[in-house]
């Protein structure tokens, strides 16, 4: 069944569906979960939902599968509705589903709801993983929840997730947006394998706070590191060219921008 699903064998899936309607292996939970998953992969969301509704017995897999299907299609309202019903019926929610819904709120720009959901995770005994921490830090950085972001940072330290580079990147962005550039820079230096995301997070913070001197030195260091700047890097430093007091720095930024534009 699962191999057929991976091969997107629509015909086989429909044959199984007809067999179930005819009473063969009627209401076998494992089979129906597999069929719901298959329908979701074929973009037949309505059929998957219909099959789910017909199931007299559902388990955690059934609910998580439907939430995953709707989330994968970007149908966040439906995914969130299923999630709330799942909680109401006291089904165990795994960390992947928690993160999926929290990430959905984040993508929709509903940062407060994302943070409230993470708080519910903790209250219900769910153990935050690096993904949940990154979502929480990202939401905090957008709404300026300074007290809460420090609490999440503390949680990351206690769980040793602050050693993960992607978590440190989120911390850099959070502190930079919170205008704590010194702490952001400290986190920046702790990242051993700096990606362009790491550099951009710090450069963006300097640019946002009009710190052209620091941005200039960091930009030079980026070029010397051998990492190629991208359009986000240029978007971060370009505003500095317009008003930077030090003409030399302004010319350096402008020169690189002109070269990059001709590549």
């Amino acid at each position: 069944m699962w191999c057929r699903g991976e091969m997107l064998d629509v015909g086989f899936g429909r044959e199984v569906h007809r067999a179930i309607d005819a009473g063969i292996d009627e209401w076998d939970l494992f089979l129906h979960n597999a069929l719901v998953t298959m329908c979701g992969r074929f973009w037949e969301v309505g059929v998957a939902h219909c099959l789910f509704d017909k199931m007299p017995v559902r388990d955690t897999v059934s609910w998580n599968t439907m939430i995953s299907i709707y989330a994968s299609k970007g149908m966040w309202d439906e995914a969130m509705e299923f999630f709330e019903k799942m909680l109401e019926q006291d089904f165990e929610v795994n960390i992947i589903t928690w993160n999926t819904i929290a990430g959905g709120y984040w993508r929709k720009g509903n940062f407060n709801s994302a943070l409230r959901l993470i708080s519910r995770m903790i209250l219900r005994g769910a153990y935050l993983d690096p993904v949940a921490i990154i979502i929480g830090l990202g939401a905090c950085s957008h709404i300026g929840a300074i007290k809460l972001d420090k609490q999440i940072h503390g949680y990351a330290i206690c769980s040793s997730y602050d050693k993960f580079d992607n978590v440190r990147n989120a911390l850099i962005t959070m502190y930079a947006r919170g205008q704590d550039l010194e702490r952001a820079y400290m986190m920046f230096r702790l990242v051993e394998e700096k990606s362009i995301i790491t550099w951009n997070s710090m450069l963006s913070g300097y640019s946002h706070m009009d710190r052209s001197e620091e941005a200039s030195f960091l930009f030079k260091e980026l070029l010397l590191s051998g990492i190629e700047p991208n359009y986000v890097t240029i978007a971060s430093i370009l505003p500095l060219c317009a008003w930077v007091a030090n003409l030399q720095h302004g010319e350096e930024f402008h020169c690189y921008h002109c070269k990059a534009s001709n590549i």
Side-chain angles (χ1 to χ4, degrees), residues 37-230:
T37 300
M38 179 181 287
C39 288
R41 289 178 180 171
F42 297 150
W43 294 83
E44 297 182 15
V45 180
V47 176
H49 194 160
C50 182
L51 285 169
F52 178 87
D53 286 342
K54 287 183 177 181
M55 297 171 68
V57 178
R58 306 181 187 102
D59 62 1
T60 300
V61 174
S62 312
W63 287 92
N64 285 332
T65 298
M66 283 305 303
I67 292 169
S68 176
I69 288 171
Y70 278 121
S72 67
K73 309 299 185 286
M75 302 171 71
W76 292 111
D77 291 340
E78 292 82 355
M80 292 165 185
E81 182 180 350
F82 261 87
F83 177 76
E84 291 299 331
K85 289 179 179 178
M86 185 178 182
L87 290 180
E88 288 172 6
Q89 297 188 29
D90 291 326
F91 280 95
E92 182 179 353
V93 182
N94 62 34
I95 187 62
I96 296 174
T97 301
W98 280 109
N99 288 342
T100 296
I101 299 301
Y105 281 124
W106 191 92
R107 290 180 179 87
K108 287 167 65 71
N110 196 339
F111 304 118
N112 285 308
S113 292
L115 290 173
R116 282 196 293 269
L117 189 60
I118 289 174
S119 296
R120 288 171 69 184
M121 292 170 66
I122 297 172
L123 289 173
R124 291 176 71 101
Y127 189 75
L128 301 187
D129 67 356
V131 175
I133 289 172
I134 290 170
I135 293 171
L137 292 173
C140 286
S141 67
H142 277 86
I143 63 177
I146 299 175
K147 184 177 180 180
L148 184 56
D149 60 27
K150 290 183 177 178
Q151 290 177 349
I152 296 176
H153 187 181
Y155 190 101
I157 292 173
C158 291
S159 57
S160 297
Y161 291 145
D162 62 317
K163 295 179 174 62
F164 292 23
D165 285 349
N166 53 359
V167 173
R168 285 176 174 171
N169 288 340
L171 285 166
I172 293 166
T173 300
M174 180 193 73
Y175 283 118
R177 287 180 176 174
Q179 302 182 10
D180 190 347
L181 292 178
E182 286 70 26
R183 194 178 295 269
Y185 185 74
M186 179 184 70
M187 297 304 306
F188 174 80
R189 286 303 171 196
L190 287 174
V191 179
E192 295 181 4
E193 298 293 332
K194 296 179 179 63
S195 66
I196 189 59
I197 296 173
T198 313
W199 292 93
N200 287 343
S201 297
M202 197 66 236
L203 283 168
S204 178
Y206 281 139
S207 177
H208 181 70
M209 294 297 294
D210 301 342
R211 302 275 283 269
S212 60
E213 191 81 16
E214 290 93 333
S216 175
F217 285 121
L218 195 67
F219 184 62
K220 290 177 182 176
E221 187 178 345
L222 166 61
L223 297 179
L224 291 172
S225 73
I227 296 177
E228 186 71 22
N230 60 15

